[in-house]
Amino acid sequence: MSVLSTLAEYLSHSSVRNALIVATLIALCASLLGTTIVLKRLSFIGDGLSHVAFGALCIATVLSISEKMFLVLPVTVLVAIILMGGNDNKRIKGDAAIAMLSVGALALGYLLLNIFPNAKTGNVSGDVCSTLFGSTSILTLSDADVIMCIVLSISVVLFFVVFYNRIFSVTFDENFASATGIRCNLYRLLISVIIAVVIVLSMQLVGSLLISALIVFPVLSAERIFRSFFSVVLSSGVIGIFCAFTGIIASILFSTPTGATVVCVNVLVFAICVVVGKIIRKG
Amino acid sequence: MAQIKGTDVSVGYEKRIVAGGINFEINEGDYLYIVGENGSGKSTFMKCVLGLEKPVSGSIVYGDGLKQKEIGYLPQQSYIQRDFPATVSEIVISGCLNKLGFRPFFGKKEKERAKEAMEKLEITDLAKRSYPELSGGQQQRVLLARALCATGKVLLLDEPVAGLDPYAQEQLYTLIYRINKEEKITIIMVSHDLEAAKKYATHILHIGGEKCVFCTKHEFIKENGGCLF
Ligand SMILES: Nc1ncnc2c1ncn2[C@@H]1O[C@H](COP(=O)(O)OP(=O)(O)OP(=O)(O)O)[C@@H](O)[C@H]1O
Ligand SMILES: [Mg+2]
């Protein structure tokens, strides 16, 4: 009873409601895009990009830019376009380069933060920790942040719906798609821009180290159970929303770190899906 | 103007030429067989015709109003992951994508087309099955059905009968021949089956080495005294 009343108490705050809305929308975008990222074996790109976003964020902090997004977003989009360039056959060789880039960006960001600590907070490890693992900043979103998040998320979902058939083709067999006149380069470009946007968005929720979890877990869970692309996409969206929602509620109730809790719920759901999948296939 | 015309084409990878001196001209309704040994560059040549690879030198141009969107293709190997979650019907209808124009979703016409293609290849009963769980020959049929869906004017097939049982092979040859004759669709096919080449082809391209030979079937048979090699 006390748990429920605490929850009701929290939900009466608009900041908590905003956090819930933003988190579920971000999780939905991440899990939808996750389907093409994971199925194209590009998970490492999500990881690399989030580290690049971290590096850019550090630079923005050092330069005391007030609207950090104006630096972080373009940098991440640019790197995404470079990493996703080249078709399936060529891209695979680049994974070592991506690993270098992502670790490099991480190191550079941390180094810069240490050399030029933020005058306002003066707390290096606190800054780093919150950018890496997410912070309570999700509870202190301004109305403008919330509206931006909602608009961007809805655009991503709309893009995914409208281009669903093209995304399937490009994900399933890029060579066939280009051979039969589908403009794979264009769609690959669009997808990389959107991945970058989603990563920058979700950095606020779970921090840059845990973003990949939002992207890969829902798809991997869905894949255990479902066998068609459509049902995997659909269920991965549902799983993403469910995990973000319950994760945030749990983190509020038990005062645990938001990002880590959301990711742990994802891990839990994945474990359940593995078991369910095994049972279905046996039966 | 020919539908597809190649002048002094040589194909290969990173400047290393695998096959060169290819001159050819394909017109509407032709049935071209591409023959040659393993590793002679047949698949590479196909990819150059499709624009997936660039020729090392020479040029391949589409004429006769042929657009990339009117080409169907069956790759020899697809880099499709073993565990990709997709059903047969999802894959077959994805071949119709180049018919959509600016529409986002498949309509009645595309669904009908996909259904017909599945019927032609006798995979209707597999429609709801998951692609990775099919046998090699069944997968080949699915990709063939997808290629049929994508075809408007030209169909390129890289070893289409590989992995099919003799009955299915015979059926496929008949099916392709019928498409070629009835719908005037140009066929370009890589195959090691010389008997079939003699029976169905109008032109033959022998790929291999510095000088590749392109000629009509009759010239080829005459020059080689009735046998192809
Ligand atoms: N991606 C690649 N990079 C470099 N070389 C390649 C590549 N793909 C093929 N080759 C080489 O090019 C040559 C021609 O290959 P190709 O696949 O075109 O042969 P093929 O005539 O289709 O043979 P098969 O009858 O076995 O299908 C081979 O020597 C092969 O080793
Ligand atoms: Mg080949």
Side-chain angles (χ1 to χ4, degrees):
Chain A
M1 193 60 219
S2 72
V3 170
L4 279 184
S5 57
T6 333
L7 192 60
E9 156 83 29
Y10 274 115
L11 283 179
S12 64
H13 295 292
S14 69
S15 65
V16 175
R17 286 201 302 271
N18 282 344
L20 270 176
I21 293 170
V22 168
T24 42
L25 280 176
I26 290 174
L28 174 63
C29 293
S31 52
L32 285 182
L33 276 176
T35 50
T36 108
I37 298 180
V38 169
L39 292 175
K40 270 176 99 59
R41 296 279 186 273
L42 292 176
S43 309
F44 54 89
I45 279 189
D47 213 43
L49 281 181
S50 61
H51 292 176
V52 169
F54 169 79
L57 193 64
C58 292
I59 293 175
T61 311
V62 167
L63 297 177
S64 318
I65 300 175
S66 58
E67 278 302 328
K68 297 196 178 77
M69 284 306 130
F70 288 134
L71 182 72
V72 179
L73 199 57
V75 169
T76 317
V77 167
L78 192 71
V79 176
I81 291 172
I82 295 171
L83 290 186
M84 295 275 287
N87 61 22
D88 276 352
N89 318 335
K90 289 167 194 140
R91 202 188 304 115
I92 306 304
K93 293 173 199 145
D95 64 342
I98 292 168
M100 270 173 5
L101 184 74
S102 74
V103 180
L106 204 60
L108 181 73
Y110 185 55
L111 195 67
L112 283 176
L113 270 191
N114 268 280
I115 299 176
F116 310 100
N118 189 334
K120 258 183 282 169
T121 56
N123 174 1
V124 173
S125 54
D127 279 353
V128 171
C129 205
S130 66
T131 27
L132 283 181
F133 294 104
S135 57
T136 47
S137 71
I138 184 107
L139 291 173
T140 56
L141 293 170
S142 68
D143 282 349
D145 284 341
V146 175
I147 290 169
M148 189 184 82
C149 247
I150 292 176
V151 170
L152 282 177
S153 313
I154 290 178
S155 325
V156 172
V157 174
L158 272 183
F159 167 84
F160 209 89
V161 172
V162 170
F163 288 94
Y164 168 81
N165 288 309
R166 278 135 181 112
I167 291 173
F168 172 80
S169 256
V170 174
T171 311
F172 181 65
D173 190 348
E174 211 171 277
N175 277 332
F176 174 84
S178 347
T180 55
I182 305 305
R183 289 152 74 194
C184 290
N185 292 333
L186 173 72
Y187 297 120
R188 204 179 320 114
L189 184 77
L190 284 173
I191 292 174
S192 29
V193 170
I194 290 175
I195 290 173
V197 171
V198 168
I199 282 179
V200 171
L201 274 182
S202 40
M203 205 156 69
Q204 308 189 35
L205 175 62
V206 291
S208 53
L209 273 190
L210 300 177
I211 288 175
S212 308
L214 288 192
I215 295 177
V216 300
F217 268 111
V219 196
L220 291 177
S221 305
E223 257 192 296
R224 297 306 114 193
I225 299 183
F226 295 101
R227 281 289 176 265
S228 80
F229 187 73
F230 182 71
S231 52
V232 165
V233 168
L234 207 65
S235 57
S236 126
V238 172
I239 291 173
I241 290 179
F242 171 80
C243 292
F245 193 83
T246 42
I248 290 207
I249 300 270
S251 77
I252 290 171
L253 288 181
F254 307 113
S255 354
T256 47
T258 320
T261 315
V262 171
V263 173
C264 283
V265 175
N266 266 300
V267 176
L268 209 66
V269 169
F270 176 72
I272 295 170
C273 287
V274 170
V275 175
V276 172
K278 283 242 160 67
I279 294 170
I280 290 177
R281 242 151 290 301
K282 278 226 185 85
Chain B
M1 172 87 202
Q3 219 166 25
I4 306 174
K5 185 174 161 66
T7 350
D8 286 327
V9 180
S10 33
V11 300
Y13 295 91
E14 279 127 29
K15 302 265 186 272
R16 189 176 64 89
I17 293 178
V18 184
I22 311 171
N23 284 289
F24 65 95
E25 212 181 283
I26 303 164
N27 290 296
E28 188 184 342
D30 282 356
Y31 195 137
L32 173 68
Y33 254 78
I34 299 175
V35 295
E37 298 160 21
N38 288 136
S40 54
K42 302 182 296 296
S43 301
T44 312
F45 170 76
M46 290 280 252
K47 285 181 194 155
C48 289
V49 171
L50 289 162
L52 293 176
E53 299 277 352
K54 284 205 172 56
V56 180
S57 66
S59 73
I60 299 176
V61 287
Y62 295 169
D64 234 356
L66 177 67
K67 294 191 209 66
Q68 192 87 47
K69 279 182 189 293
E70 295 165 329
I71 296 179
Y73 174 46
L74 174 81
Q76 184 176 22
Q77 290 160 331
S78 296
Y79 303 95
I80 296 165
Q81 295 128 28
R82 263 192 45 248
D83 52 352
F84 195 103
T87 60
V88 169
S89 56
E90 281 180 318
I91 292 169
V92 173
I93 203 168
S94 78
C96 299
L97 193 62
N98 57 5
K99 309 267 179 296
L100 275 187
F102 288 105
R103 283 179 294 140
F105 304 114
F106 295 118
K108 257 212 183 82
K109 225 170 81 200
E110 286 82 27
K111 284 178 187 146
E112 196 54 40
R113 197 182 167 83
K115 209 177 120 214
E116 270 169 29
M118 287 199 284
E119 274 162 13
K120 280 182 190 161
L121 288 154
E122 302 186 353
I123 49 172
T124 312
D125 51 327
L126 300 177
K128 292 276 163 283
R129 288 276 299 277
S130 138
Y131 178 79
E133 288 166 8
L134 299 180
S135 78
Q138 289 172 324
Q139 291 185 341
Q140 180 81 345
R141 289 172 191 231
V142 174
L143 297 188
L144 269 163
R146 177 182 70 165
L148 286 189
C149 282
T151 308
K153 286 184 182 164
V154 180
L155 178 57
L156 283 94
L157 304 162
D158 200 340
E159 307 206 7
V161 296
L164 298 184
D165 58 64
Y167 165 75
Q169 284 190 12
E170 204 39 58
Q171 238 190 347
L172 182 70
Y173 280 131
T174 322
L175 172 66
I176 293 170
Y177 189 64
R178 240 186 41 221
I179 295 171
N180 175 246
K181 279 275 160 296
E182 287 170 11
E183 298 171 38
K184 283 264 168 292
I185 285 176
T186 311
I187 309 284
I188 302 176
M189 184 195 289
V190 173
S191 176
H192 295 289
D193 187 344
L194 299 174
E195 285 308 309
K198 263 192 238 175
K199 207 156 139 198
Y200 300 114
T202 61
H203 294 78
I204 287 177
L205 173 62
H206 179 247
I207 295 262
E210 298 287 285
K211 199 82 198 95
C212 301
V213 186
F214 173 79
C215 56
T216 65
K217 177 175 66 174
H218 299 296
E219 285 167 357
F220 208 96
I221 293 177
K222 217 181 325 169
E223 262 176 45
N224 292 271
C227 80
L228 280 161
F229 290 102

